[in-house]
Structure formats: C-alpha cells, structure tokens
Amino acid sequence: VNNQLMQFQSDLLNCSVVRPKITETTALGAAYLAGLAVGFWRNVEEIQQQWQIEHAFTPAMEENKRIQLVNGWQRAVNASIAWSSAGSD
C-alpha cells in the first residue's frame, strides 16, 4: 500500500505495476478457492471478474537515473555474493 515503493518498483522495472483494490490477496485467494470448492463460484472466470484495480503505477524515472540505480543494485548483489563466498574456502 506504499505509493512511493510501488512507484519506485515501476520505475526500476520499467513497467507498469498494478495494485489491486483488495491487497490481502493470500486470504482472498484462499476464500475464492473455498468458494469454488463448495459451488459458491461456478468457475475461475467468475472469480476473475471480481478482481479490481485500485491504482496503476507507470514508469516515470529518467532512463539514465534508472540505469544508474540498477547498476548500483547489481554491484551490491555481486559484492554480497563475493563476501559470502570468501568465508567458505
């Protein structure tokens, strides 16, 4: 539900990120499956019609800034891998 985090993910991934109206999707999925099992829902298509978008986030970051941040993330991941591997010799 954090708008800033959702926008940041959209920017870094360079794709749209959609937040559903109901964010408790694990519980909702379990309820949908239970409803399907007892015949409350006729089929998966009927369940899919219940899903609604609360907000869609689209990339808004400059490409140069995005590349800089992604490269920094990759450097940090590689440094962590190197650090964790150093102690296993």
Side-chain angles (χ1 to χ4, degrees), residues 7-63:
Q7 183 61 56
F8 190 62
Q9 288 179 338
S10 175
D11 290 338
L12 285 186
L13 296 171
N14 201 30
C15 68
S16 294
V17 173
V18 177
R19 180 173 54 217
K21 192 169 190 174
I22 298 174
T23 58
E24 295 296 332
T25 55
T26 302
L28 183 60
Y32 281 152
L33 288 174
L36 192 59
V38 299
F40 185 81
W41 306 106
R42 287 184 290 247
N43 52 43
V44 173
E45 290 77 22
E46 189 176 3
I47 293 171
Q48 288 173 333
Q49 292 174 4
Q50 303 302 309
W51 194 84
Q52 297 176 352
I53 295 172
E54 191 271 323
H55 190 81
F57 300 85
T58 56
M61 184 179 284
E62 284 186 25
E63 183 65 8

Side-chain angles (χ1 to χ4, degrees), residues 57-85:
F57 300 85
T58 56
M61 184 179 284
E62 284 186 25
E63 183 65 8
N64 289 340
K65 179 67 173 173
R66 187 184 77 77
I67 290 170
Q68 178 186 11
L69 290 171
V70 169
N71 287 341
W73 172 255
Q74 290 172 341
R75 280 192 309 275
V77 169
N78 289 332
S80 296
I81 291 169
W83 176 78
S84 68
S85 297

